[in-house]
């Protein structure tokens, strides 16, 4: 699930549902089917919950996040024998890691092994953490740079081209303005801000630009 080509979701959509479909397109019964799914680093592997399947399976996950659904003695018919009977599916849910920020991506691809054959590779799903309502990410071409990032006291603001015009706004991830200041030296004091993720907004050559930064005291 998700909106648009990037599969945009919010951190409040904390649980993702995955379904892997498979079909025996060979010429004889498949006695064993193994689905291998390497979980994304932005998922909390400890929250994995195997779900429904139309075949009996065992599920195991390695310390490196490799998930396997193993269907033993499945005796799965081939497609030409029966279109419906040659199919199967497994489902599971898993939660996002805490602390993800807008722009973080979660991808998922599985390999399906029928007996000793080469794996059939599924499509790759994509979800992207979107900015919360009230924040529009306009700095897609990196025209504005801030450093150091994370920052504790003072952040430098560099503009790749153009001139900064007017005030700089700093917003939290709910879109609330927490600081407004005119910037002339390219430096901004953020020492008064609490630890967290913020969005800096400024006008460059008449265009509004935004860039994220992290305050870490």
């Amino acid at each position: 699930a998700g909106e648009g080509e990037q599969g945009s979701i919010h951190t409040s959509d904390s649980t993702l549902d995955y379904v892997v479909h498979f079909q025996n397109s060979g010429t004889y019964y498949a006695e064993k089917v193994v689905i291998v799914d390497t979980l994304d680093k932005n998922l909390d592997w400890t929250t994995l919950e195997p779900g429904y399947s139309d075949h009996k399976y065992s599920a195991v996950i390695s310390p490196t996040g490799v998930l396997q659904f193993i269907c033993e003695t499945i005796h799965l018919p081939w497609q030409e024998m029966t279109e419906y009977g040659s199919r199967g599916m497994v489902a599971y849910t898993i939660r996002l890691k805490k602390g993800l920020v807008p722009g973080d991506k979660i991808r998922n691809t599985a390999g399906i092994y029928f007996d000793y054959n080469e794996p059939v590779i599924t499509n790759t799903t994509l979800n992207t953490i979107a900015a919360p309502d009230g924040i529009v990410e306009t700095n897609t071409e990196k025209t504005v740079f801030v450093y150091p990032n994370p920052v504790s006291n003072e952040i430098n603001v560099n503009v790749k081209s153009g001139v900064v015009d007017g005030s700089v706004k700093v917003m939290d991830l709910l879109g609330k303005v927490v600081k407004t200041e005119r910037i002339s030296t390219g430096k901004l004091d953020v020492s008064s801000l609490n630890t967290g993720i913020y969005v800096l907004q400024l006008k460059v050559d008449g265009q509004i630009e935004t860039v994220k930064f992290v305050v870490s005291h």
Side-chain angles (χ1 to χ4, degrees):
E3 298 181 2
E5 293 183 358
Q6 297 299 308
S8 297
I9 59 175
H10 297 283
T11 51
S12 58
D13 304 320
S14 58
T15 301
L16 299 182
D17 299 278
Y18 288 106
V19 180
V20 182
H21 296 272
F22 57 89
Q23 184 171 31
N24 179 9
S25 58
T27 59
Y28 197 68
Y29 291 101
E31 297 300 329
K32 182 177 181 180
V33 176
V34 179
I35 298 167
V36 180
D37 189 339
T38 301
L39 301 176
D40 194 281
K41 62 182 178 61
N42 286 329
L43 296 173
D44 183 352
W45 305 339
T46 65
T47 65
L48 171 73
E49 292 190 12
Y52 174 79
S53 174
D54 45 13
H55 295 281
K56 185 178 180 180
Y57 69 85
S58 59
V60 294
I61 183 171
S62 75
T64 57
V66 178
L67 170 64
Q68 293 188 57
F69 290 95
I70 304 168
C71 302
E72 298 275 9
T73 59
I74 188 174
H75 204 59
L76 187 69
W78 61 101
Q79 186 176 0
E80 288 190 1
M81 179 182 181
T82 166
E83 177 67 29
Y84 179 78
S86 63
R87 300 184 182 193
M89 54 85 70
V90 294
Y92 68 91
T93 63
I94 192 167
R95 296 177 69 87
L96 300 176
K97 268 188 178 178
K98 294 181 179 179
L100 297 185
V101 300
D104 284 342
K105 298 181 183 300
I106 302 98
R107 294 181 174 87
N108 197 351
T109 305
I112 305 166
Y113 294 79
F114 295 89
D115 293 323
Y116 300 102
N117 296 303
E118 291 295 315
V120 176
I121 306 302
T122 69
N123 62 300
T124 299
T125 63
L126 171 65
N127 288 111
T128 305
I129 304 299
D133 295 338
I135 296 176
V136 179
E137 183 68 61
T138 61
N139 183 30
T140 57
E141 297 182 359
K142 298 295 183 184
T143 58
V144 178
F145 300 86
V146 294
Y147 64 93
N149 192 8
V151 61
S152 57
N153 295 309
E154 188 176 68
I155 197 167
N156 296 280
V157 182
N158 276 10
V159 180
K160 185 176 181 180
S161 62
V163 178
V164 176
D165 177 21
S167 298
V168 171
K169 291 182 180 179
V170 176
M171 299 175 290
D172 62 20
L173 287 183
L174 296 178
K176 178 183 177 182
V177 177
V178 296
K179 187 177 183 68
T180 302
E181 188 173 316
R182 294 192 68 85
I183 185 168
S184 57
T185 62
K187 298 181 183 294
L188 181 67
D189 183 3
V190 295
S191 60
S192 62
L193 299 180
N194 294 326
T195 298
I197 303 167
Y198 295 90
V199 177
L200 184 145
Q201 182 185 89
L202 68 163
K203 186 180 289 188
V204 179
D205 288 345
Q207 300 293 319
I208 298 296
E209 304 283 353
T210 63
V211 62
K212 295 184 292 291
F213 67 96
V214 178
V215 174
S216 178
H217 296 300

